[in-house]
Amino acid sequence: MTDSNRYLLNASSVQPLAAGQGATKRQAPPQTPKKARRRIRFRILVLPLLPELIAVAIFCGAQFTSSFRSVEAEPTSAVVTMSGERIALVAFDDHTRPGIGEPMFQMRLAAYRLSDGAQLWDQRINEELSGAVVILAASDDLIYVAETGGLVILDADGDIVARGDGIDGIGADAVLAVNAYAYDAGSDAIVLLSTRGDILQIPVGSTSAQSATPAQIRAGQGLSAETRFDDTVLRAGGVEQAIGPDGTMFSVRSVDAAVDRDALEIGAESGTAAAEFVDAELLPVLPADQETPRAAGAGQGLVLVQHRESVNSDALMVSSIDVATGSIVDSAAVGGDLDGALPAPDGTTVFFAGEEGDWYPNRLMVLADDGSIDEIRIGQLPWWMALFG
């Protein structure tokens, strides 16, 4: 029952709002003990797991992020022996920013253990857009590298020990150029040119420059203060004739020019024909400045041939051939023409190749003694750099 000013709601008398009077703000209902317990339980159980959940999210994100730089390996790299291990010291031009705070352009040096392909370390050498890094020599403890800023000495862990005008015994007289430094195998020392025109030496295993011997002075006569670096010989590419360490001759002979079919001949006198290929070339050992270059792989009883996949395909391949039988042992797809194989101790054969369809050499290819061709991808990044770089 109601009157003019009141009405009944659930048997209670309610006063209506006065004209123009707004409704009061609704108050949040009081929290029940059950909801309070649920919120406390959430905080106790979930919040301690938050770091782990973030880590899982980062890991999942890293799976969709490239863990490799865009790089171009340089034929001025080298294979050395350090503490009994065969180590590939790979100089490469980095086309990508490899982490937070890193410069956009740089030349780097990385070490790879050939026995298992493990990357041991990776070090920035300079910040040049198109610089040069030449590995000169290495001992068990030290590595000597010439670059556009002069000589760099690194330890076995890839840390820079001394460089440029900070090298003991030469200091401000250091020439900051690639061609002012060279390795003299006769004395196992780095010979170098000073700004005064003197020839000095740093024995391999030492970090201090000292006076050169007469023989070392003669060996250093070709040094100069130029930054120019001519890599024509180092990028020689394939050849049609090469020689093995025992004098065995290898040559490529055309079988049918109409379809670019070639045969590999092993032995100049017998002319024994091995496998046939399309548009074949022998891979030489660098530097290929001899009248007859050395055949890559011949020290292991093998020979490497670059060729097209077939008459109807321009895809490039590299194949290992058994010298004794002339048969193909293994083949691998490569991108772009190959430069040649790096000189290496104990007959090991390594060379650079790009991925299929990629003209930049970004893989280190290793020829095993059984003829198989293994690959090591260059420029690997830690996952945190790949994700946040």
Side-chain angles (χ1 to χ4, degrees):
M1 184 171 72
T2 65
D3 56 28
S4 59
N5 295 321
R6 299 174 183 273
Y7 63 90
L8 294 176
L9 178 62
N10 296 331
S12 299
S13 176
V14 179
Q15 178 71 36
L17 292 173
Q21 182 180 349
T24 58
K25 186 177 181 181
R26 295 184 62 185
Q27 299 295 321
Q31 192 175 53
T32 65
K34 183 177 181 180
K35 289 184 178 180
R37 287 195 300 271
R38 187 181 303 160
R39 179 170 296 182
I40 293 172
R41 190 181 301 117
F42 174 82
R43 291 176 179 174
I44 292 175
L45 296 178
V46 176
L47 291 183
L49 298 176
L50 192 58
E52 287 78 4
L53 295 175
I54 294 174
V56 170
I58 291 174
F59 175 79
C60 293
Q63 305 310 305
F64 300 98
T65 305
S66 175
S67 59
F68 290 93
R69 304 180 179 102
S70 174
V71 305
E72 180 178 1
E74 298 294 330
T76 52
S77 304
V79 178
V80 299
T81 300
M82 300 183 69
S83 300
E85 291 274 7
R86 292 177 300 170
I87 306 296
L89 299 173
V90 179
F92 61 89
D93 185 0
D94 187 358
H95 300 153
T96 53
R97 185 187 299 275
I100 298 174
E102 288 284 348
M104 181 62 73
F105 304 108
Q106 51 184 285
M107 294 291 295
R108 302 185 70 88
L109 180 66
Y112 297 90
R113 187 169 53 219
L114 294 186
S115 60
D116 58 5
Q119 177 177 295
L120 304 179
W121 47 262
D122 180 357
Q123 176 65 262
R124 171 168 29 110
I125 299 298
N126 63 44
E127 302 173 16
E128 300 288 334
L129 173 60
S130 181
V133 174
V134 182
I135 289 82
L136 301 175
S139 67
D140 285 344
D141 304 311
L142 297 173
I143 299 163
Y144 302 83
V145 175
E147 56 106 3
T148 48
L151 183 67
V152 179
I153 304 176
L154 305 93
D155 64 19
D157 296 322
D159 296 323
I160 295 176
V161 176
R163 69 183 308 160
D165 55 11
I167 294 176
D168 184 45
I170 185 169
D173 290 331
V175 175
L176 306 183
V178 175
N179 297 336
Y181 305 87
Y183 173 65
D184 178 39
S187 60
D188 192 27
I190 306 299
V191 292
L192 54 113
L193 177 68
S194 76
T195 58
R196 299 175 182 272
D198 300 323
I199 302 297
L200 303 176
Q201 61 133 336
I202 301 177
V204 171
S206 169
T207 59
S208 299
Q210 54 190 262
S211 299
T213 66
Q216 290 172 330
I217 292 174
R218 289 191 296 271
Q221 292 302 312
L223 300 177
S224 74
E226 297 182 1
T227 303
R228 176 191 60 80
F229 186 72
D230 185 5
D231 63 354
T232 302
V233 173
L234 292 178
R235 296 191 181 278
V239 297
E240 293 186 351
Q241 191 173 58
I243 192 170
D246 61 353
T248 301
M249 293 296 299
F250 304 90
S251 58
V252 172
R253 174 176 57 85
S254 177
V255 175
D256 192 333
V259 290
D260 292 329
R261 183 162 289 281
D262 301 313
L264 171 66
E265 290 187 346
I266 300 175
E269 296 181 0
S270 62
T272 303
E276 293 188 0
F277 305 92
V278 175
D279 198 13
E281 291 181 318
L282 291 163
L283 200 66
V285 176
L286 299 175
D289 54 354
Q290 304 93 342
E291 183 176 348
T292 303
R294 291 174 291 162
Q300 298 168 262
L302 303 157
V303 64
L304 288 172
V305 177
Q306 176 187 289
H307 57 93
R308 282 162 45 199
E309 186 177 30
S310 69
V311 173
N312 297 317
S313 173
D314 289 331
L316 292 178
M317 308 285 291
V318 62
S319 295
S320 58
I321 313 301
D322 188 322
V323 172
T325 63
S327 58
I328 298 175
V329 180
D330 194 14
S331 297
V334 296
D337 291 325
L338 304 176
D339 293 326
L342 300 178
D346 63 30
T348 305
T349 303
V350 300
F351 59 97
F352 294 120
E355 292 183 290
E356 190 174 3
D358 189 348
W359 290 90
Y360 287 123
N362 55 13
R363 291 184 296 169
L364 179 67
M365 314 295 285
V366 183
L367 178 64
D369 288 338
D370 63 0
S372 61
I373 301 173
D374 303 317
E375 66 176 69
I376 302 171
R377 181 72 182 272
I378 302 167
Q380 186 171 10
L381 282 169
W383 63 266
W384 59 89
M385 283 190 180
L387 189 62
F388 297 111

